[in-house]
Amino acid sequence: ARKLETMLGVKKVIIIPGDYEKRPEVLKEMGGKAFEYIKGCISDKSIIAVTGGNSTMAVAENAKAVDKKDVIVVPAIGGNNERHATQANAVAEKLASKINGSYYPLYLPQNISEEMLKAMLADPNISKVVELIGRSDVFIFGLSTFDQIAKKRKLDEETKKYLQRKGAFAEAFGYYFDNEGKVVHKSGSIGIKIEGYDIIATAVCIAGGLSKAEAIIAINKGKKKNILVIDEKAGEQMYNIMRGV
């Protein structure tokens, strides 16, 4: 873990034994360990932003009550009204109920035009949540490889080709990154802004499995405040990739 911290330039790497792709229960342990770390970062009036996904849901499901006052949990990115069990709104709701915090949902389509966005931001309920997201001090996120997100979002061929031409390699919180970790595209949705990333005190990335190793490197490299919670399999693969093996 120390070696990976140095190679990646992140604050901390927590490695959970096992292979998440072969043993799904490893994710539960990752979620529990991630929450243990996060718990120490929560203070009175903390604002926690979460993205959707199985990894972040594992954190929410393994969370426990926190002895802090007025903690708020918000989705880090607008979700549509579909009740996806692991959507950001669902993860935020679950986490808030576990830690006895308040929860504010954000119902917005993932891909939305600028005009619609402006109109929706005029709604005080929406602008309040957007403002809370902008002030979050703890951020919990997962990530996907390009192939995983293309499947999940059912991207059409044209969009896929366009993103591939731009070098899209991995996706996290509504942004597509190339293999150097540069943003190449943003899906038009309201949420955590990459420009505001630097003011977040604690950013916890939870991701596992061999297939995600390269994406984990691309998105986290050089992010000094990131805490990474990964499984052993991803860790080994990342170590080999960065050593150029």
Side-chain angles (χ1 to χ4, degrees):
R2 281 280 128 72
K3 279 186 181 143
L4 278 177
E5 282 165 11
T6 314
M7 288 165 124
L8 274 168
V10 294
K11 187 172 176 180
K12 191 173 178 64
V13 176
I14 299 167
I15 299 175
I16 306 301
D19 177 354
Y20 156 57
E21 287 172 338
K22 290 208 174 72
R23 286 181 45 234
E25 62 272 23
V26 171
L27 187 58
K28 187 179 173 196
E29 290 165 45
M30 288 165 66
K33 267 280 184 278
F35 181 73
E36 263 172 47
Y37 184 91
I38 291 158
K39 195 175 174 179
C41 306
I42 299 172
S43 46
D44 291 345
K45 293 191 164 60
S46 265
I47 301 171
I48 306 168
V50 292
T51 66
N54 294 328
S55 303
T56 49
M57 190 49 114
V59 179
E61 281 170 347
N62 292 285
K64 294 177 181 59
V66 173
D67 194 16
K68 300 286 181 216
K69 288 195 284 290
D70 305 327
V71 177
I72 290 175
V73 188
V74 288
I77 195 160
N80 40 22
N81 274 322
E82 290 171 41
R83 292 300 301 151
H84 280 317
T86 57
Q87 231 189 342
N89 282 315
V91 176
E93 188 174 6
K94 170 74 97 187
L95 181 59
S97 73
K98 289 274 194 161
I99 66 172
N100 301 330
S102 322
Y103 151 69
Y104 292 90
L106 182 59
Y107 291 118
L108 285 173
Q110 281 275 328
N111 293 308
I112 180 171
S113 71
E114 285 294 316
E115 292 80 56
M116 254 177 89
L117 210 54
K118 284 203 179 83
M120 291 180 110
L121 278 172
D123 178 333
N125 294 325
I126 290 177
S127 57
K128 179 181 180 167
V129 183
V130 171
E131 190 253 337
L132 287 170
I133 295 170
R135 288 197 290 125
S136 50
D137 50 345
V138 178
F139 177 36
I140 309 166
F141 70 98
L143 50 84
S144 303
T145 64
F146 181 71
D147 292 343
Q148 286 164 340
I149 199 74
K151 248 202 216 90
K152 198 155 79 183
R153 296 237 171 106
K154 300 185 173 65
L155 299 181
D156 58 54
E157 275 310 306
E158 201 180 320
T159 311
K160 258 167 57 179
K161 287 206 172 80
Y162 164 76
L163 287 166
Q164 280 166 326
R165 274 202 307 276
K166 289 187 97 170
F169 183 77
E171 189 273 349
F173 49 96
Y175 288 89
Y176 290 89
F177 298 82
D178 67 12
N179 60 359
E180 296 286 312
K182 283 202 231 13
V183 173
V184 293
H185 184 73
K186 177 185 186 326
S187 66
S189 146
I190 294 182
I192 282 269
K193 295 229 178 337
I194 204 93
E195 308 81 57
Y197 191 83
D198 294 341
I199 58 170
I200 299 163
T202 307
V204 178
C205 172
I206 171 164
L210 201 62
S211 64
K212 285 192 178 179
E214 288 183 88
I216 299 170
I217 296 170
I219 287 175
N220 290 279
K221 206 170 172 130
K223 305 275 191 313
K224 292 187 206 46
K225 65 175 70 159
N226 283 22
I227 290 92
L228 256 186
V229 182
I230 55 177
D231 64 348
E232 203 175 355
K233 203 70 188 163
E236 287 167 7
Q237 181 74 351
M238 286 160 67
Y239 184 62
N240 290 336
I241 292 167
M242 286 191 294
R243 278 199 341 204
V245 172

